[in-house]
Amino acid sequence: QNDPLVIFTPSGKRGHFPNGTKVLDAARQLGVDLDSVCGGRGICSKCQVQPSFGDFSKHGITSQPDALSDWNAVEERYKSIRGLIDGRRLGCQAQVNGDVVIDVPPESQVHKQVVRKSADTREIVLDPATRLYYVEVEEPDMHEPSGDLERLSKALAEQWNLPNTTSDLRIMQHLQPALRQGKWKVTVAVYQGKGLGEARIIHVWPGYYEGTIYGLAIDLGSTTIAAHLCDLQTGKVLTSSGIMNPQIRFGEDLMSRVSYSMMNPGGAAEMTTAVRTALQALVNTVAAEAIIDPALIVEAVFVANPVMHHLLLGIDPVELGQAPFALATSDSMTLWASELDLTMHPSASIYILPCIAGHVGADAAAVALSEAPNRSEDLVLIVDVGTNAEILLGNKHKVLACSSPTGPAFEGAQISSGQRAAPGAIERVEINPVTKEPRFRVIGSEKWSDEDGFTEEAGTITGICGSGIIEAIAEMRMAGLVDPSGLIGSAAQTGTERCMPNGRTHEYVLFEGDGTSPRITVTNGDVRAIQLAKAALYAGARLLMDQMGVDEVDRVVLAGAFGAHISPKHAMVLGMIPDCDVEKVTSAGNAAGTGARIALLNAAARREVESTVRQIVKVETAVEPRFQEHFVAASNIPHATDAYAKLRA
Ligand code: FES
């Protein structure tokens, strides 16, 4: 081959191209990731490249601008108006002029890697369902009459290979002024999803639109609703915010909300209105925090457990409260934001991930997307710890799923001094096994209290949160203050005055209280509540292990906002999870939220999760007799085996 050799970095893709070939064209032919919004017109500057010269450059190219033939007028104009970093060229203008190595800087890569997975280094590429396209539209001609919309569609087909775009009245109402104001050049936002038409024009801006468009990833939990606002052109999370789910006033946990709906005519509709109102407030909050117009939010992705999923959609969840726990639909859904009474962009779409089963929702599907057990060589147990634990067990050969009714104790509810994780809550606890004296740390403070108890530095104490109570009870067990059956000993039995009578049982005084902070104790009722919750979690995991025919797992991933704060050691001491090398227990943070973000930023991931969910085998704990057996066996601390002894050794 006599044509010059062109090598792109960092991809390493290479090919021979005749002199005069535009760099953007060479990149496209080789499948190199090089961005372009304006279609090579020297307007968007997304296509910037940087010629670099290794040993490879045998043509003695020495000056940056000359590396890829001379600057052309379009580039000169661009540089004089907007500036261009030294050494950079516009890929749509620069031409090949001899062998060259061309670096594509990260910001010019369309498929930027933005989401990092916890357990390995799999990264997610940016390829959202809604993207911007700059087009030049033919002017109307009396002799060849056709509508402005038809000429816009033709331009999208010819210039961006987007045939058969559709639109609606909202577009037509704004199209004519936009085309004329932009002098027949416009930027178009096109949604390409499975539903709502294959390629739908959702907005038209006159000329080149300098701004960006946004998407929301929303994790709709029973207790909290979390939203991440993302820039759909860079994948960056601009702001994250959360609010309490106002449905709590209808019932603390899922089943009490289903009961509310059964007992009260119109109850489901009330809960639907409550959650939609809260979602709108959350949309407005994140937009205000990022200082953007909510009308620029063009998409949202939702993940939710089945009851929340149905209530969001305005479907009565009554069928989910009784066997056979039938979902109205388990498929993914694409709908208009306006159908959920959400005000953002008028043509904004909503994508809801598929549900796995009647008790294993789109949130678990999102965890499966984010943690990808179906790609794992190891047998991995993933527990998404919340009011209802959702559990996945599997590897690349098979994935099983179930849910387990842990109740809200892990979130600090049903605990005498319990509270949600917020500043002032005790979140970390240590008990000296010799003196039996505690030290602890509260959320919002860097410092631990000292062994004499509370100090100013430890901050003001308001209660104890889920991770705090787990650590407290696990530490009490290790210090011999509580026996395997969950009974707290007396002062005489334990050798500490901190164990005091409380009715017919005892309590351990973690903090005596002072003028500003209340007394915090761990009662036998608290231990009992945590025992029940952890036994449900453990029994669910064991049930899946039985079904898989294994006695142990290779690794454990703790997911959920709460899972992020549980110490693996204490979870093991308490017997929340099956025995496993403590090093192999990791936290994935809010994996459901991460899954929602992946589905927002990568349209192909939606197809991936839809196919993964179809392959997951569901196990129904409620009708499985062995669940009950495991539950009883798991009520002891830790459970039948003696994991804590191993840890102490
Ligand atoms: Fe838009 Fe080059 S592709 S400036």
Side-chain angles (χ1 to χ4, degrees), residues 24 28 35-48 78 90-93 160 208:
L24 181 61
R28 287 207 172 131
D35 202 357
S36 159
V37 169
C38 72
R41 292 183 183 81
I43 294 172
C44 70
S45 85
K46 303 277 186 199
C47 61
Q48 291 183 36
Y78 184 89
L90 294 182
C92 63
Q93 304 301 322
W160 288 103
Y208 177 66

Coordinates of all heavy atoms in Angstrom, one line a residue, residues 24 28 35-48 78 90-93 160 208, ligand 1:
L24 N -11.9 12.8 10.2 CA -13.2 12.3 10.7 C -13.7 11.1 9.8 O -14.2 10.1 10.3 CB -14.3 13.4 10.7 CG -15.7 13.0 11.3 CD1 -15.6 12.5 12.7 CD2 -16.6 14.2 11.2
R28 N -14.3 7.3 11.0 CA -15.5 6.6 10.8 C -15.3 5.2 10.1 O -15.9 4.2 10.5 CB -16.5 7.4 10.0 CG -17.0 8.6 10.9 CD -18.4 9.0 10.4 NE -18.9 10.0 11.3 CZ -19.4 11.2 11.0 NH1 -19.5 11.5 9.7 NH2 -19.9 12.0 11.9
D35 N -16.2 12.0 18.2 CA -17.5 12.6 18.3 C -17.8 13.6 17.2 O -16.8 14.1 16.5 CB -17.6 13.4 19.6 CG -19.1 13.6 20.1 OD1 -20.0 13.2 19.3 OD2 -19.3 14.1 21.2
S36 N -19.0 13.9 16.9 CA -19.4 14.9 15.9 C -20.9 15.2 16.1 O -21.7 14.3 16.1 CB -19.2 14.5 14.5 OG -20.0 15.2 13.6
V37 N -21.2 16.5 16.4 CA -22.6 16.8 16.5 C -23.1 17.6 15.3 O -24.2 17.5 14.8 CB -22.9 17.6 17.8 CG1 -24.3 18.2 17.8 CG2 -22.7 16.8 19.1
C38 N -22.1 18.3 14.7 CA -22.5 19.2 13.6 C -22.3 18.5 12.2 O -22.6 19.1 11.2 CB -21.7 20.5 13.6 SG -20.0 20.3 13.1
G39 N -21.9 17.2 12.2 CA -21.8 16.5 11.0 C -20.7 17.0 10.1 O -20.7 17.0 8.9
G40 N -19.6 17.5 10.8 CA -18.4 17.8 10.0 C -18.4 19.2 9.4 O -17.8 19.5 8.4
R41 N -19.2 20.1 10.0 CA -19.3 21.5 9.4 C -18.4 22.5 10.2 O -18.5 23.7 10.0 CB -20.7 21.9 9.5 CG -21.6 21.1 8.5 CD -23.0 21.6 8.5 NE -23.8 20.8 7.7 CZ -24.3 19.7 8.0 NH1 -24.1 19.2 9.3 NH2 -25.1 19.0 7.2
G42 N -17.5 22.0 11.0 CA -16.6 22.9 11.7 C -17.4 23.8 12.7 O -16.9 25.0 12.9
I43 N -18.4 23.4 13.3 CA -19.2 24.2 14.2 C -19.1 23.7 15.7 O -19.0 24.5 16.6 CB -20.7 24.2 13.8 CG1 -20.8 25.0 12.4 CG2 -21.6 25.0 14.8 CD1 -22.1 24.9 11.8
C44 N -19.2 22.4 15.8 CA -19.4 21.9 17.2 C -18.1 21.7 18.0 O -18.1 21.6 19.2 CB -20.2 20.6 17.2 SG -19.3 19.2 16.5
S45 N -17.0 21.5 17.3 CA -15.7 21.3 17.9 C -15.6 20.0 18.7 O -14.7 19.8 19.4 CB -15.2 22.5 18.7 OG -15.7 22.4 20.0
K46 N -16.6 19.1 18.5 CA -16.6 17.9 19.3 C -15.5 16.9 18.7 O -15.2 15.9 19.3 CB -17.9 17.2 19.2 CG -19.1 18.0 19.7 CD -19.2 17.9 21.2 CE -20.4 18.6 21.7 NZ -20.4 19.0 23.0
C47 N -15.1 17.2 17.5 CA -14.2 16.2 16.7 C -12.7 16.5 16.9 O -11.9 16.0 16.1 CB -14.6 16.3 15.2 SG -14.2 18.0 14.6
Q48 N -12.4 17.2 17.9 CA -10.9 17.6 18.0 C -10.0 16.4 18.2 O -10.3 15.5 18.9 CB -10.8 18.5 19.3 CG -11.4 19.9 19.1 CD -11.2 20.8 20.3 OE1 -10.1 20.7 20.9 NE2 -12.2 21.6 20.6
Y78 N -12.9 29.0 12.9 CA -13.3 28.5 14.2 C -12.3 28.9 15.3 O -12.7 29.4 16.4 CB -13.3 26.9 14.2 CG -13.8 26.4 15.5 CD1 -15.2 26.1 15.7 CD2 -12.9 26.1 16.5 CE1 -15.6 25.7 16.9 CE2 -13.4 25.7 17.8 CZ -14.7 25.5 18.0 OH -15.2 25.0 19.2
L90 N -9.4 20.3 14.1 CA -10.8 19.8 14.0 C -10.7 18.6 13.0 O -10.2 18.7 11.9 CB -11.7 20.8 13.4 CG -12.0 22.1 14.3 CD1 -13.0 23.0 13.6 CD2 -12.5 21.7 15.6
G91 N -11.1 17.4 13.5 CA -11.0 16.2 12.8 C -11.8 16.2 11.5 O -11.5 15.5 10.5
C92 N -12.8 17.1 11.5 CA -13.7 17.1 10.3 C -13.1 18.0 9.2 O -13.5 18.0 8.1 CB -15.1 17.6 10.6 SG -15.1 19.3 11.3
Q93 N -12.0 18.7 9.6 CA -11.4 19.6 8.6 C -10.0 19.1 8.2 O -9.6 19.2 7.0 CB -11.3 21.1 9.1 CG -12.7 21.6 9.6 CD -13.7 21.7 8.4 OE1 -13.3 22.0 7.3 NE2 -14.9 21.4 8.7
W160 N -27.4 12.1 8.8 CA -27.1 11.3 10.0 C -27.6 9.9 9.9 O -27.6 9.2 11.0 CB -27.8 12.0 11.2 CG -27.0 13.2 11.6 CD1 -27.5 14.5 11.3 CD2 -25.8 13.4 12.2 NE1 -26.5 15.4 11.8 CE2 -25.5 14.7 12.3 CE3 -24.9 12.4 12.7 CZ2 -24.3 15.2 12.9 CZ3 -23.7 12.9 13.3 CH2 -23.4 14.3 13.4
Y208 N -26.9 26.1 15.7 CA -26.1 25.1 16.5 C -26.5 25.3 18.0 O -26.2 26.4 18.5 CB -24.6 25.2 16.2 CG -23.9 24.2 17.1 CD1 -24.0 22.8 16.9 CD2 -23.0 24.7 18.1 CE1 -23.4 21.9 17.8 CE2 -22.4 23.8 18.9 CZ -22.5 22.4 18.7 OH -21.9 21.5 19.6
Ligands
FES1 FE1 -18.3 19.4 14.4 FE2 -15.9 18.9 13.4 S1 -17.6 17.6 13.6 S2 -16.6 20.7 14.3

